[in-house]
Amino acid sequence: MEQNFNLLQERVLDTLEKSDLLAIKQQLKNIKGNTVLVGAGGSSVVSTFASKVLGISNVKSSRDLNYMNLDNIDNIIIFSYSGKGYVIENILDKNKKIYLFTNGDKLYDNVETIKYNSTIKKENSFISLASTLMPMAILYHYYHPLRLPHFESILSKMFDKSKDINIHHNNVYEILTGYDSITASKFLETTMTESGIAIPVIHDKYDYCHGRSTLSYKSNNGLILFNSEKELDELLFNNLKEYYTEIVKVDRFYPNDCIVDNDFYATICSMYLTKKLAENKGMDLSKVDYSPIVKKLYKYKGEM
């Protein structure tokens, strides 16, 4: 785990330097019409972030496409680090324009590959770290096509700042979030669940005000608050301390409503939060003691 986190920033910068960012930009700009974004596991985090960058709200799981009416859909963009597996194979028979956003080398008929590269040895980890943040960084640069040295400098500052955040060792964490931090909260939910380091409960901040605060009154949980610096955030932070064993506040990188920028930064913070939580519990995110049924379910390719 320590090695993978030590290499995380280097891997992100490496993919930015080794990928053809201009070609990727042109491919993304050429996608027209109604589009669905699809990803599983760590790639579901990437697809969530891509929805903000590309302005596409239709984010689904691969299984959803078996039940959706796709008549009005023109394109399906698949996010998959390896470029293999059910999430791709299940979509190949759809009569749509298919794009594969990947680091992998496998090619498919009638699929346009949007390829990003890397030269550092791939992480050996149960939990997706670089395989999540690398494609997010490519998309983030598409959103902010700055000169690479300046863009990398911003990322370095984000990494430096994100490591200051702390967390204790609760077994349940309620997470107060919303559209502005949806990618970061998606990473927390996915990683906490897949690693078993804690039970995540996601609350939209407005829904939380409509009765979901009862859970904290009846339980003894920790709270993670993505701070949007609005009056509601101040109200929540100042009044909820007596109802939680701890409150972890994830502040914004920019003191304004730069939603894409702040969600990218919050996702980095979320990665280091899970690292510290795992360390506090004597666990390793890279070598998870996962359920014996994981292998059977992970490789399942039958009817869904």
Side-chain angles (χ1 to χ4, degrees):
M1 180 174 73
E2 195 67 34
Q3 181 185 32
N4 286 325
F5 272 97
N6 287 340
L7 286 172
L8 182 56
Q9 180 176 349
E10 188 176 348
R11 284 179 168 134
V12 168
L13 299 182
D14 174 71
T15 197
L16 288 167
E17 293 167 357
K18 304 304 179 184
S19 300
D20 191 338
L21 300 178
L22 289 177
I24 292 173
K25 177 181 179 180
Q26 193 57 52
Q27 284 180 287
L28 292 174
K29 286 174 66 71
N30 288 341
I31 299 174
K32 308 294 183 183
N34 293 332
T35 303
V36 173
L37 309 177
V38 179
S43 292
S44 69
V45 180
V46 181
S47 64
T48 300
F49 185 70
S51 71
K52 288 185 176 182
V53 170
L54 303 177
I56 299 170
S57 60
N58 210 347
V59 183
K60 302 294 181 182
S61 74
S62 179
R63 183 178 177 275
D64 290 340
L65 300 189
N66 297 334
Y67 300 91
M68 286 177 58
N69 182 348
L70 298 176
D71 290 348
N72 295 322
I73 299 300
D74 302 300
N75 315 295
I76 301 172
I77 306 179
I78 309 165
F79 296 89
S80 172
Y81 181 71
S82 66
K84 303 174 184 178
Y86 176 85
V87 69
I88 299 166
E89 295 164 4
N90 185 50
I91 294 173
L92 294 177
D93 63 347
K94 311 296 182 187
N95 188 25
K96 304 296 172 185
K97 178 63 178 177
I98 300 172
Y99 299 85
L100 174 59
F101 198 96
T102 185
N103 182 245
D105 296 316
K106 187 172 182 178
L107 301 177
Y108 300 87
D109 293 337
N110 302 316
V111 174
E112 180 175 335
T113 299
I114 304 175
K115 178 76 161 61
Y116 56 95
N117 299 313
S118 58
T119 58
I120 300 174
K121 184 179 179 181
K122 294 181 180 180
E123 62 188 356
N124 181 17
S125 176
F126 186 81
I127 296 301
S128 300
L129 295 169
S131 55
T132 295
L133 204 57
M134 286 164 56
M136 280 183 59
I138 297 291
L139 289 162
Y140 186 29
H141 185 266
Y142 170 80
Y143 184 80
H144 277 313
L146 303 171
R147 290 177 61 88
L148 203 53
H150 180 48
F151 185 73
E152 290 180 338
S153 175
I154 293 173
L155 294 188
S156 295
K157 291 176 182 177
M158 286 185 173
F159 271 98
D160 290 342
K161 187 176 180 181
S162 67
K163 297 172 186 177
D164 294 335
I165 202 161
N166 285 304
I167 194 169
H168 294 158
H169 48 74
N170 279 282
N171 292 324
V172 178
Y173 281 94
E174 298 179 48
I175 301 168
L176 294 187
T177 184
Y179 178 78
D180 48 322
S181 53
I182 191 172
T183 309
S185 56
K186 180 70 174 179
F187 175 84
L188 279 181
E189 189 273 335
T190 299
T191 301
M192 285 184 175
T193 302
E194 291 188 2
S195 66
I197 58 174
I199 299 172
V201 182
I202 304 292
H203 301 297
D204 175 82
K205 291 177 185 177
Y206 185 66
D207 287 344
Y208 185 82
C209 298
H210 277 249
R212 293 175 72 94
S213 55
T214 305
L215 182 62
S216 64
Y217 179 68
K218 299 290 185 179
S219 305
N220 192 31
N221 303 331
L223 178 72
I224 298 174
L225 169 65
F226 288 99
N227 182 20
S228 302
E229 298 182 8
K230 305 297 184 184
E231 291 180 8
L232 176 59
D233 297 284
E234 184 177 1
L235 175 70
L236 292 169
F237 184 72
N238 291 334
N239 287 272
L240 292 180
K241 295 176 182 178
E242 63 179 294
Y243 300 108
Y244 290 94
T245 57
E246 68 169 316
I247 296 182
V248 179
K249 185 156 63 77
V250 182
D251 292 321
R252 298 187 296 183
F253 184 75
Y254 291 113
N256 49 45
D257 291 325
C258 297
I259 292 177
V260 171
D261 307 75
N262 287 322
D263 200 11
F264 185 89
Y265 167 69
T267 304
I268 299 176
C269 290
S270 296
M271 290 184 170
Y272 283 97
L273 273 178
T274 58
K275 176 180 184 289
K276 291 181 180 180
L277 180 58
E279 289 173 342
N280 291 342
K281 294 191 172 189
M283 300 172 70
D284 187 339
L285 295 177
S286 296
K287 299 176 182 178
V288 170
D289 180 23
Y290 53 79
S291 168
I293 200 173
V294 163
K295 287 186 177 180
K296 184 175 183 178
L297 295 177
Y298 187 81
K299 296 180 179 180
Y300 178 78
K301 296 182 180 180
E303 186 180 24
M304 290 195 188

